Every structure is written in C-alpha cells, then in structure tokens.
Amino acid sequence: MSDSTIAFIGGGNMARSLIGGLIAHGTPPARIRVADPDADQRETLAARLGVTVTASNSEAVTGADVVVLAVKPAHIKTVADELASQLRAQASLTISIAAGVRETDISRWLGGGVPVVRCMPNTPSLLQSGMTALYANEHVSQAHRSLSETMLQAVGEIEWIADEGLMDAVTAVSGSGPAYFFLVMEAMEAAGAELGLDPASARRLTLATALGAARMANDSDEDPATLRQRVTSPGGTTEAATKALETGDIHAVFQRALATATERARELGDQLGNQ
Ligand SMILES: NC(=O)c1ccc[n+]([C@@H]2O[C@H](COP(=O)([O-])OP(=O)(O)OC[C@H]3O[C@@H](n4cnc5c(N)ncnc54)[C@H](OP(=O)(O)O)[C@@H]3O)[C@@H](O)[C@H]2O)c1
C-alpha cells in the first residue's frame, strides 16, 4: 500500500477518515492525492494531513494505482462519466464507498473492463470503528483485493460479500445498524430516567453497558444468545426483563425492520442506477 498512489475523488468526512487511517498505518501522505471542488476543504486537507490536493479530478487520477470515489451517491455517475476513459486506459483499481450505488451501474458508467470494488462502510468508520462490506467485480485481482482490504481495514473491520444482491441486506444490518443500537440506548436511557435516575446517570449507565456488552460479544468465542443465557439467572431480574422484551416479540420486530430496510435499499439502488 505504501508504494501505491491513491487518488480520492471527494475530500469530505469519509475520505478524511480513510486518509487519516491510511497515514496512521504507514502510507506516506506524498502518495495520496485528493480532488475536491471546495477550496477550504482542500486547504484543510493539505494543512492537516499533508496530502496533495487539487480541484481537478482528472489531475488527481492521472497515474494513480487506486482511485477512491468518495462523493455522495448522487454524484457518482457524474464523476464516473468524467473519468471513464482515463480509468479504462489506466485500469486503475476503482473503489466506491458510495452507499447504495451498485458495482454493475458503476462498471456500466465506466464503460466496462475496469476493476471495481464496491464498499458499504458505516458511520463508525469515522472513528476507525467501522464495519465495511466489500464486493469485487471480475476484473479485480488478488493484489487489488489486498489493496482494498488494507484501505478499508484502516477504518475498522471488513467482510467480503460474493453476491452483490446481498449488499442490500448488508445495508440493512451494518449500514443502518448503528441507528438500531442508538434507538435501544435511547429507550434504555429514557426508561432509567423514568425509574427515577438522574438523566445524566441513566445515560452513563446505558452507554457504558452498551460498550461493555459489545466488547464482551466481540471478544467471546460464544454467540450472543449463549452470552445472554449466561447472565440470565432463573427467577432473576434479567430474566424478568428479557421475558418482557420477548412478549413484544423483539425477534419478529427486527426481522420486519431489516426486511423493510433491505427492500428500501433495493429501491434506492434502482433509483441511483437509473440516472
Ligand atoms: N459519512 C458516513 O458515515 C458514511 C458512511 C457510509 C458510506 N458513506 C459514503 O461515503 C461517501 C462520502 O460521504 P461523506 O459523508 O464523506 O460526504 P461529504 O462529507 O459530503 O464529502 C463528499 C465530498 O465530495 C465533494 N464533491 C462533490 N462533488 C464532487 C465532484 N464532482 N468531484 C469531486 N468532489 C466532489 C463534496 O464537495 P461539496 O461539499 O462542495 O459538494 C464533498 O467535499 C458517500 O457516497 C456516502 O454514501 C458515508
């Protein structure tokens, strides 16, 4: 990775996070170029991260081994149209981090023959605690896969998905997922305050518990269901609470929520692809 020249198209939140992660993991800033139309954005990137900046997408991409499309989903087609002939000529590995934009559409806009990796990162990537699913087209080599892994592992964990059709389910699980946990935290915090706790204490208790539970689940070889059973004594408080949650059929609620999110991801993908 440290030998590759990487061009970012779009220098916003996600690009900054990825660049910060890459530099922290040993990529020299001199190997990174960023194109962004906003002069203030460019100035900040150059001053804080020491990367080369330009207003020209084409200039950033010239001779780059890896090109990261880090603009909003609605702008991907414009950028792909602009850079298609250059990317085809250079056969640069093109990594898109745009939510919902399919590899099949990006490849079509680029005119085919370009190695494309479509990624679906989530918001905690901004804190280097993300989860990113990756899908590669048939032109992506093993070396390209390694480059993509290094790039996205700089902001968290990664998972390759073999079937692009499953990216809508990925969007429902890890893409939108942080919000489901925020909702649970919000509900626990409110319930704690309702029971008489000072709201600030209710928040601290909730957040520390969420972090601790996530760490336990992440570090353990056992699945969450087993961990839950371990902390549930017969006739105890946890059993009383989980029974109340099961009465509301929490599994069915999540199944419905994720099925709806998957369907919505499919609709949005259709809309973005029809530009
Ligand atoms: N933020 C997240 O947590 C997150 C999570 C998952 C996926 N993503 C994906 O990451 C991508 C970037 O998101 P973001 O939050 O980083 O957005 P952002 O902060 O708005 O950054 C996008 C940048 O691209 C610039 N831009 C717009 N049109 C351009 C063009 N034609 N050529 C070059 N640069 C252009 C924008 O400039 P202007 O502001 O001047 O338009 C902006 O600086 C999105 O596709 C999003 O779906 C983000």
Short mmCIF file of all heavy atoms in Angstrom, two decimals, residues 84-144:
data_model
loop_
_atom_site.label_atom_id
_atom_site.label_comp_id
_atom_site.label_asym_id
_atom_site.label_seq_id
_atom_site.Cartn_x
_atom_site.Cartn_y
_atom_site.Cartn_z
N ALA A 84 -14.27 8.12 -16.95
CA ALA A 84 -14.37 6.80 -17.58
C ALA A 84 -13.18 6.47 -18.49
O ALA A 84 -12.53 5.44 -18.33
CB ALA A 84 -15.68 6.67 -18.34
N SER A 85 -12.88 7.36 -19.44
CA SER A 85 -11.85 7.00 -20.42
C SER A 85 -10.48 6.88 -19.74
O SER A 85 -9.69 5.99 -20.04
CB SER A 85 -11.81 7.99 -21.59
OG SER A 85 -11.59 9.28 -21.08
N GLN A 86 -10.23 7.77 -18.77
CA GLN A 86 -8.95 7.75 -18.05
C GLN A 86 -8.82 6.45 -17.22
O GLN A 86 -7.77 5.81 -17.23
CB GLN A 86 -8.93 8.95 -17.11
CG GLN A 86 -7.58 9.58 -16.96
CD GLN A 86 -7.64 10.81 -16.05
OE1 GLN A 86 -8.71 11.39 -15.85
NE2 GLN A 86 -6.50 11.18 -15.53
N LEU A 87 -9.90 6.08 -16.53
CA LEU A 87 -9.85 4.87 -15.68
C LEU A 87 -9.72 3.62 -16.54
O LEU A 87 -9.02 2.68 -16.17
CB LEU A 87 -11.08 4.79 -14.78
CG LEU A 87 -11.13 5.84 -13.66
CD1 LEU A 87 -12.46 5.78 -12.91
CD2 LEU A 87 -9.98 5.63 -12.68
N ARG A 88 -10.37 3.62 -17.70
CA ARG A 88 -10.25 2.46 -18.60
C ARG A 88 -8.82 2.36 -19.11
O ARG A 88 -8.22 1.28 -19.12
CB ARG A 88 -11.21 2.58 -19.78
CG ARG A 88 -12.62 2.13 -19.49
CD ARG A 88 -13.37 1.76 -20.78
NE ARG A 88 -13.29 2.79 -21.79
CZ ARG A 88 -14.12 3.84 -21.87
NH1 ARG A 88 -15.08 3.98 -20.98
NH2 ARG A 88 -13.98 4.72 -22.83
N ALA A 89 -8.24 3.48 -19.51
CA ALA A 89 -6.89 3.48 -20.07
C ALA A 89 -5.86 3.05 -19.03
O ALA A 89 -4.93 2.30 -19.32
CB ALA A 89 -6.55 4.86 -20.62
N GLN A 90 -6.05 3.52 -17.79
CA GLN A 90 -5.07 3.21 -16.73
C GLN A 90 -5.34 1.87 -16.05
O GLN A 90 -4.48 1.35 -15.37
CB GLN A 90 -5.13 4.29 -15.64
CG GLN A 90 -4.67 5.65 -16.07
CD GLN A 90 -4.68 6.66 -14.91
OE1 GLN A 90 -4.40 7.82 -15.13
NE2 GLN A 90 -5.00 6.26 -13.71
N ALA A 91 -6.59 1.37 -16.20
CA ALA A 91 -7.06 0.18 -15.47
C ALA A 91 -6.80 0.31 -13.97
O ALA A 91 -6.38 -0.64 -13.31
CB ALA A 91 -6.43 -1.10 -16.04
N SER A 92 -7.01 1.54 -13.45
CA SER A 92 -6.79 1.76 -12.01
C SER A 92 -7.86 1.01 -11.23
O SER A 92 -9.02 0.95 -11.65
CB SER A 92 -6.95 3.24 -11.66
OG SER A 92 -6.18 4.04 -12.50
N LEU A 93 -7.46 0.48 -10.08
CA LEU A 93 -8.45 -0.12 -9.18
C LEU A 93 -9.37 1.00 -8.71
O LEU A 93 -8.89 2.01 -8.16
CB LEU A 93 -7.76 -0.78 -7.98
CG LEU A 93 -8.68 -1.19 -6.84
CD1 LEU A 93 -9.69 -2.25 -7.28
CD2 LEU A 93 -7.86 -1.71 -5.65
N THR A 94 -10.65 0.86 -8.95
CA THR A 94 -11.61 1.91 -8.57
C THR A 94 -12.44 1.40 -7.40
O THR A 94 -13.09 0.36 -7.50
CB THR A 94 -12.50 2.25 -9.78
OG1 THR A 94 -11.66 2.69 -10.84
CG2 THR A 94 -13.49 3.35 -9.44
N ILE A 95 -12.35 2.11 -6.29
CA ILE A 95 -13.07 1.71 -5.08
C ILE A 95 -14.17 2.74 -4.84
O ILE A 95 -13.87 3.93 -4.69
CB ILE A 95 -12.12 1.65 -3.86
CG1 ILE A 95 -11.01 0.62 -4.10
CG2 ILE A 95 -12.89 1.32 -2.59
CD1 ILE A 95 -10.02 0.49 -2.93
N SER A 96 -15.41 2.28 -4.81
CA SER A 96 -16.50 3.21 -4.49
C SER A 96 -16.96 2.96 -3.07
O SER A 96 -17.20 1.81 -2.68
CB SER A 96 -17.68 2.98 -5.44
OG SER A 96 -18.84 3.60 -4.91
N ILE A 97 -17.08 4.04 -2.30
CA ILE A 97 -17.60 3.89 -0.93
C ILE A 97 -19.02 4.48 -0.84
O ILE A 97 -19.55 4.65 0.25
CB ILE A 97 -16.68 4.56 0.12
CG1 ILE A 97 -16.50 6.06 -0.18
CG2 ILE A 97 -15.33 3.86 0.19
CD1 ILE A 97 -15.94 6.84 1.02
N ALA A 98 -19.61 4.77 -2.01
CA ALA A 98 -20.94 5.41 -2.01
C ALA A 98 -22.03 4.42 -1.63
O ALA A 98 -22.16 3.36 -2.26
CB ALA A 98 -21.21 5.99 -3.39
N ALA A 99 -22.80 4.77 -0.64
CA ALA A 99 -23.88 3.89 -0.17
C ALA A 99 -24.89 3.67 -1.30
O ALA A 99 -25.33 4.62 -1.94
CB ALA A 99 -24.56 4.52 1.04
N GLY A 100 -25.22 2.43 -1.55
CA GLY A 100 -26.34 2.10 -2.43
C GLY A 100 -26.05 2.09 -3.92
O GLY A 100 -26.90 1.64 -4.69
N VAL A 101 -24.87 2.57 -4.36
CA VAL A 101 -24.60 2.58 -5.80
C VAL A 101 -23.95 1.26 -6.19
O VAL A 101 -22.89 0.91 -5.68
CB VAL A 101 -23.69 3.77 -6.20
CG1 VAL A 101 -23.56 3.84 -7.72
CG2 VAL A 101 -24.22 5.07 -5.65
N ARG A 102 -24.63 0.54 -7.10
CA ARG A 102 -24.18 -0.82 -7.43
C ARG A 102 -22.94 -0.84 -8.32
O ARG A 102 -22.78 0.04 -9.18
CB ARG A 102 -25.31 -1.57 -8.14
CG ARG A 102 -26.51 -1.76 -7.24
CD ARG A 102 -27.64 -2.52 -7.94
NE ARG A 102 -28.77 -2.56 -7.05
CZ ARG A 102 -30.01 -2.22 -7.37
NH1 ARG A 102 -30.31 -1.86 -8.60
NH2 ARG A 102 -30.97 -2.28 -6.47
N GLU A 103 -22.14 -1.89 -8.13
CA GLU A 103 -20.95 -2.09 -8.98
C GLU A 103 -21.38 -2.21 -10.43
O GLU A 103 -20.71 -1.67 -11.32
CB GLU A 103 -20.22 -3.36 -8.51
CG GLU A 103 -19.04 -3.79 -9.38
CD GLU A 103 -19.45 -4.55 -10.62
OE1 GLU A 103 -20.35 -5.41 -10.55
OE2 GLU A 103 -18.87 -4.27 -11.70
N THR A 104 -22.50 -2.90 -10.69
CA THR A 104 -22.95 -3.10 -12.07
C THR A 104 -23.21 -1.75 -12.75
O THR A 104 -22.89 -1.56 -13.92
CB THR A 104 -24.24 -3.96 -12.13
OG1 THR A 104 -25.10 -3.55 -11.07
CG2 THR A 104 -23.95 -5.42 -12.00
N ASP A 105 -23.77 -0.80 -11.99
CA ASP A 105 -24.04 0.54 -12.56
C ASP A 105 -22.74 1.32 -12.75
O ASP A 105 -22.53 1.95 -13.80
CB ASP A 105 -25.02 1.31 -11.67
CG ASP A 105 -26.39 0.65 -11.67
OD1 ASP A 105 -26.86 0.27 -12.77
OD2 ASP A 105 -26.98 0.47 -10.59
N ILE A 106 -21.85 1.26 -11.74
CA ILE A 106 -20.57 1.98 -11.85
C ILE A 106 -19.80 1.45 -13.07
O ILE A 106 -19.29 2.21 -13.88
CB ILE A 106 -19.73 1.83 -10.56
CG1 ILE A 106 -20.48 2.46 -9.38
CG2 ILE A 106 -18.35 2.48 -10.72
CD1 ILE A 106 -19.87 2.15 -8.02
N SER A 107 -19.74 0.11 -13.20
CA SER A 107 -18.99 -0.50 -14.31
C SER A 107 -19.61 -0.10 -15.65
O SER A 107 -18.89 0.17 -16.62
CB SER A 107 -18.99 -2.02 -14.18
OG SER A 107 -18.15 -2.38 -13.11
N ARG A 108 -20.95 -0.05 -15.70
CA ARG A 108 -21.63 0.36 -16.94
C ARG A 108 -21.26 1.81 -17.27
O ARG A 108 -20.92 2.13 -18.40
CB ARG A 108 -23.14 0.20 -16.76
CG ARG A 108 -23.99 0.59 -17.97
CD ARG A 108 -25.42 0.07 -17.83
NE ARG A 108 -26.00 0.31 -16.52
CZ ARG A 108 -26.60 1.43 -16.13
NH1 ARG A 108 -26.68 2.44 -16.95
NH2 ARG A 108 -27.10 1.55 -14.90
N TRP A 109 -21.28 2.70 -16.25
CA TRP A 109 -20.96 4.12 -16.49
C TRP A 109 -19.51 4.28 -16.93
O TRP A 109 -19.17 5.18 -17.69
CB TRP A 109 -21.23 4.95 -15.22
CG TRP A 109 -22.68 4.99 -14.83
CD1 TRP A 109 -23.77 4.90 -15.66
CD2 TRP A 109 -23.21 5.09 -13.50
NE1 TRP A 109 -24.93 4.95 -14.93
CE2 TRP A 109 -24.63 5.08 -13.61
CE3 TRP A 109 -22.65 5.20 -12.23
CZ2 TRP A 109 -25.47 5.17 -12.49
CZ3 TRP A 109 -23.49 5.30 -11.13
CH2 TRP A 109 -24.88 5.28 -11.26
N LEU A 110 -18.64 3.38 -16.40
CA LEU A 110 -17.21 3.48 -16.78
C LEU A 110 -16.93 2.84 -18.14
O LEU A 110 -15.83 2.97 -18.66
CB LEU A 110 -16.33 2.80 -15.70
CG LEU A 110 -16.28 3.48 -14.33
CD1 LEU A 110 -15.43 2.68 -13.35
CD2 LEU A 110 -15.75 4.92 -14.44
N GLY A 111 -17.89 2.12 -18.67
CA GLY A 111 -17.73 1.52 -19.99
C GLY A 111 -17.15 0.11 -19.96
O GLY A 111 -16.79 -0.44 -21.00
N GLY A 112 -17.03 -0.48 -18.77
CA GLY A 112 -16.58 -1.88 -18.65
C GLY A 112 -15.08 -2.03 -18.65
O GLY A 112 -14.33 -1.13 -19.05
N GLY A 113 -14.63 -3.19 -18.17
CA GLY A 113 -13.19 -3.53 -18.20
C GLY A 113 -12.37 -2.93 -17.07
O GLY A 113 -11.16 -3.11 -17.04
N VAL A 114 -13.01 -2.20 -16.15
CA VAL A 114 -12.26 -1.56 -15.05
C VAL A 114 -12.46 -2.38 -13.77
O VAL A 114 -13.58 -2.79 -13.47
CB VAL A 114 -12.77 -0.11 -14.81
CG1 VAL A 114 -12.05 0.55 -13.65
CG2 VAL A 114 -12.63 0.73 -16.08
N PRO A 115 -11.35 -2.66 -13.04
CA PRO A 115 -11.54 -3.36 -11.76
C PRO A 115 -12.24 -2.44 -10.76
O PRO A 115 -11.74 -1.36 -10.46
CB PRO A 115 -10.12 -3.69 -11.30
CG PRO A 115 -9.20 -2.88 -12.13
CD PRO A 115 -9.94 -2.39 -13.34
N VAL A 116 -13.42 -2.88 -10.29
CA VAL A 116 -14.21 -2.05 -9.38
C VAL A 116 -14.53 -2.83 -8.11
O VAL A 116 -14.96 -3.98 -8.16
CB VAL A 116 -15.55 -1.61 -10.04
CG1 VAL A 116 -16.44 -0.85 -9.05
CG2 VAL A 116 -15.30 -0.74 -11.27
N VAL A 117 -14.27 -2.19 -6.97
CA VAL A 117 -14.69 -2.75 -5.68
C VAL A 117 -15.73 -1.79 -5.10
O VAL A 117 -15.46 -0.59 -4.97
CB VAL A 117 -13.50 -2.91 -4.71
CG1 VAL A 117 -13.98 -3.27 -3.30
CG2 VAL A 117 -12.54 -3.98 -5.21
N ARG A 118 -16.91 -2.34 -4.82
CA ARG A 118 -17.95 -1.53 -4.19
C ARG A 118 -17.92 -1.81 -2.68
O ARG A 118 -17.97 -2.96 -2.25
CB ARG A 118 -19.33 -1.90 -4.74
CG ARG A 118 -20.45 -1.26 -3.93
CD ARG A 118 -21.80 -1.87 -4.26
NE ARG A 118 -22.81 -1.37 -3.35
CZ ARG A 118 -24.06 -1.79 -3.34
NH1 ARG A 118 -24.46 -2.71 -4.18
NH2 ARG A 118 -24.92 -1.29 -2.46
N CYS A 119 -17.86 -0.74 -1.89
CA CYS A 119 -17.81 -0.90 -0.44
C CYS A 119 -19.04 -0.30 0.20
O CYS A 119 -19.57 0.70 -0.28
CB CYS A 119 -16.61 -0.16 0.15
SG CYS A 119 -15.07 -0.67 -0.55
N MET A 120 -19.44 -0.88 1.30
CA MET A 120 -20.52 -0.30 2.10
C MET A 120 -19.99 -0.12 3.52
O MET A 120 -20.06 -1.03 4.35
CB MET A 120 -21.74 -1.24 2.06
CG MET A 120 -22.92 -0.75 2.87
SD MET A 120 -23.61 0.81 2.24
CE MET A 120 -24.01 1.62 3.76
N PRO A 121 -19.36 1.04 3.77
CA PRO A 121 -18.89 1.29 5.14
C PRO A 121 -20.05 1.81 5.99
O PRO A 121 -21.12 2.11 5.46
CB PRO A 121 -17.84 2.40 4.96
CG PRO A 121 -17.94 2.87 3.56
CD PRO A 121 -19.06 2.16 2.88
N ASN A 122 -19.86 1.90 7.29
CA ASN A 122 -20.89 2.55 8.12
C ASN A 122 -20.28 3.72 8.88
O ASN A 122 -19.07 3.95 8.85
CB ASN A 122 -21.63 1.55 9.01
CG ASN A 122 -20.73 0.89 10.05
OD1 ASN A 122 -19.58 1.26 10.20
ND2 ASN A 122 -21.28 -0.08 10.76
N THR A 123 -21.15 4.48 9.55
CA THR A 123 -20.72 5.74 10.17
C THR A 123 -19.60 5.59 11.20
O THR A 123 -18.73 6.45 11.26
CB THR A 123 -21.94 6.45 10.80
OG1 THR A 123 -22.96 6.46 9.80
CG2 THR A 123 -21.64 7.86 11.20
N PRO A 124 -19.58 4.53 12.03
CA PRO A 124 -18.46 4.43 12.98
C PRO A 124 -17.08 4.37 12.31
O PRO A 124 -16.06 4.51 13.00
CB PRO A 124 -18.77 3.14 13.76
CG PRO A 124 -20.26 3.00 13.67
CD PRO A 124 -20.60 3.50 12.29
N SER A 125 -17.05 4.20 10.98
CA SER A 125 -15.77 4.28 10.26
C SER A 125 -15.11 5.63 10.51
O SER A 125 -13.88 5.76 10.45
CB SER A 125 -15.98 4.13 8.74
OG SER A 125 -16.63 2.93 8.46
N LEU A 126 -15.93 6.65 10.77
CA LEU A 126 -15.38 7.98 11.03
C LEU A 126 -14.53 7.99 12.29
O LEU A 126 -13.72 8.89 12.51
CB LEU A 126 -16.51 9.02 11.13
CG LEU A 126 -17.40 9.17 9.88
CD1 LEU A 126 -18.54 10.13 10.13
CD2 LEU A 126 -16.59 9.64 8.67
N LEU A 127 -14.73 6.99 13.17
CA LEU A 127 -13.93 6.85 14.41
C LEU A 127 -13.02 5.62 14.34
O LEU A 127 -12.62 5.08 15.38
CB LEU A 127 -14.85 6.67 15.63
CG LEU A 127 -16.01 7.64 15.82
CD1 LEU A 127 -16.87 7.21 16.98
CD2 LEU A 127 -15.46 9.03 16.07
N GLN A 128 -12.76 5.15 13.13
CA GLN A 128 -11.94 3.94 12.94
C GLN A 128 -12.55 2.71 13.62
O GLN A 128 -11.83 1.79 14.02
CB GLN A 128 -10.50 4.16 13.44
CG GLN A 128 -9.54 4.64 12.35
CD GLN A 128 -9.56 6.13 12.16
OE1 GLN A 128 -9.49 6.87 13.13
NE2 GLN A 128 -9.65 6.61 10.94
N SER A 129 -13.86 2.69 13.79
CA SER A 129 -14.56 1.54 14.41
C SER A 129 -15.66 1.04 13.48
O SER A 129 -16.71 0.58 13.94
CB SER A 129 -15.18 1.95 15.74
OG SER A 129 -14.19 2.32 16.65
N GLY A 130 -15.39 1.14 12.18
CA GLY A 130 -16.44 0.81 11.22
C GLY A 130 -16.53 -0.67 10.88
O GLY A 130 -15.70 -1.49 11.29
N MET A 131 -17.56 -0.98 10.12
CA MET A 131 -17.73 -2.31 9.54
C MET A 131 -18.01 -2.07 8.06
O MET A 131 -18.96 -1.35 7.72
CB MET A 131 -18.93 -3.01 10.20
CG MET A 131 -19.22 -4.39 9.65
SD MET A 131 -17.92 -5.57 10.10
CE MET A 131 -17.45 -6.23 8.48
N THR A 132 -17.16 -2.60 7.22
CA THR A 132 -17.32 -2.38 5.78
C THR A 132 -17.46 -3.70 5.05
O THR A 132 -16.64 -4.60 5.22
CB THR A 132 -16.09 -1.64 5.19
OG1 THR A 132 -15.93 -0.40 5.87
CG2 THR A 132 -16.25 -1.37 3.70
N ALA A 133 -18.52 -3.81 4.24
CA ALA A 133 -18.67 -4.97 3.36
C ALA A 133 -18.13 -4.58 1.99
O ALA A 133 -18.32 -3.44 1.54
CB ALA A 133 -20.13 -5.36 3.26
N LEU A 134 -17.42 -5.51 1.33
CA LEU A 134 -16.83 -5.24 0.02
C LEU A 134 -17.29 -6.26 -1.00
O LEU A 134 -17.40 -7.45 -0.67
CB LEU A 134 -15.29 -5.31 0.08
CG LEU A 134 -14.57 -4.40 1.06
CD1 LEU A 134 -14.29 -5.14 2.35
CD2 LEU A 134 -13.26 -3.93 0.47
N TYR A 135 -17.53 -5.77 -2.20
CA TYR A 135 -17.88 -6.65 -3.32
C TYR A 135 -16.97 -6.31 -4.50
O TYR A 135 -16.81 -5.13 -4.84
CB TYR A 135 -19.35 -6.47 -3.72
CG TYR A 135 -19.68 -7.16 -5.01
CD1 TYR A 135 -19.87 -8.55 -5.04
CD2 TYR A 135 -19.74 -6.45 -6.21
CE1 TYR A 135 -20.11 -9.20 -6.24
CE2 TYR A 135 -19.98 -7.09 -7.41
CZ TYR A 135 -20.17 -8.47 -7.41
OH TYR A 135 -20.40 -9.12 -8.60
N ALA A 136 -16.38 -7.34 -5.11
CA ALA A 136 -15.42 -7.11 -6.22
C ALA A 136 -16.00 -7.61 -7.54
O ALA A 136 -16.64 -8.67 -7.57
CB ALA A 136 -14.13 -7.85 -5.92
N ASN A 137 -15.75 -6.88 -8.63
CA ASN A 137 -16.17 -7.41 -9.94
C ASN A 137 -15.09 -8.35 -10.49
O ASN A 137 -14.05 -8.57 -9.85
CB ASN A 137 -16.57 -6.28 -10.92
CG ASN A 137 -15.38 -5.51 -11.48
OD1 ASN A 137 -14.22 -5.83 -11.20
ND2 ASN A 137 -15.67 -4.50 -12.27
N GLU A 138 -15.36 -8.89 -11.68
CA GLU A 138 -14.49 -9.97 -12.21
C GLU A 138 -13.11 -9.48 -12.63
O GLU A 138 -12.21 -10.29 -12.86
CB GLU A 138 -15.20 -10.70 -13.37
CG GLU A 138 -15.32 -9.91 -14.68
CD GLU A 138 -16.58 -9.04 -14.74
OE1 GLU A 138 -17.12 -8.66 -13.67
OE2 GLU A 138 -17.00 -8.71 -15.87
N HIS A 139 -12.91 -8.16 -12.73
CA HIS A 139 -11.60 -7.63 -13.15
C HIS A 139 -10.67 -7.39 -11.96
O HIS A 139 -9.52 -6.97 -12.14
CB HIS A 139 -11.78 -6.32 -13.93
CG HIS A 139 -12.69 -6.48 -15.11
ND1 HIS A 139 -12.36 -7.24 -16.20
CD2 HIS A 139 -13.95 -6.00 -15.34
CE1 HIS A 139 -13.36 -7.22 -17.06
NE2 HIS A 139 -14.34 -6.48 -16.56
N VAL A 140 -11.18 -7.62 -10.76
CA VAL A 140 -10.38 -7.34 -9.54
C VAL A 140 -9.45 -8.53 -9.26
O VAL A 140 -9.91 -9.66 -9.13
CB VAL A 140 -11.33 -7.07 -8.35
CG1 VAL A 140 -10.57 -7.01 -7.04
CG2 VAL A 140 -12.11 -5.78 -8.58
N SER A 141 -8.15 -8.25 -9.19
CA SER A 141 -7.16 -9.31 -8.94
C SER A 141 -6.98 -9.53 -7.44
O SER A 141 -7.50 -8.75 -6.62
CB SER A 141 -5.82 -8.90 -9.55
OG SER A 141 -5.33 -7.77 -8.84
N GLN A 142 -6.20 -10.55 -7.11
CA GLN A 142 -5.90 -10.80 -5.69
C GLN A 142 -5.14 -9.61 -5.09
O GLN A 142 -5.39 -9.21 -3.96
CB GLN A 142 -5.08 -12.10 -5.57
CG GLN A 142 -5.05 -12.70 -4.19
CD GLN A 142 -6.44 -12.81 -3.53
OE1 GLN A 142 -7.36 -13.35 -4.12
NE2 GLN A 142 -6.58 -12.28 -2.32
N ALA A 143 -4.24 -9.03 -5.88
CA ALA A 143 -3.48 -7.86 -5.40
C ALA A 143 -4.42 -6.68 -5.12
O ALA A 143 -4.28 -5.97 -4.13
CB ALA A 143 -2.42 -7.47 -6.42
N HIS A 144 -5.41 -6.51 -6.02
CA HIS A 144 -6.41 -5.44 -5.81
C HIS A 144 -7.20 -5.68 -4.52
O HIS A 144 -7.54 -4.75 -3.79
CB HIS A 144 -7.41 -5.41 -6.97
CG HIS A 144 -6.85 -4.91 -8.26
ND1 HIS A 144 -7.27 -5.38 -9.48
CD2 HIS A 144 -5.92 -3.97 -8.52
CE1 HIS A 144 -6.63 -4.75 -10.44
NE2 HIS A 144 -5.79 -3.89 -9.88
#
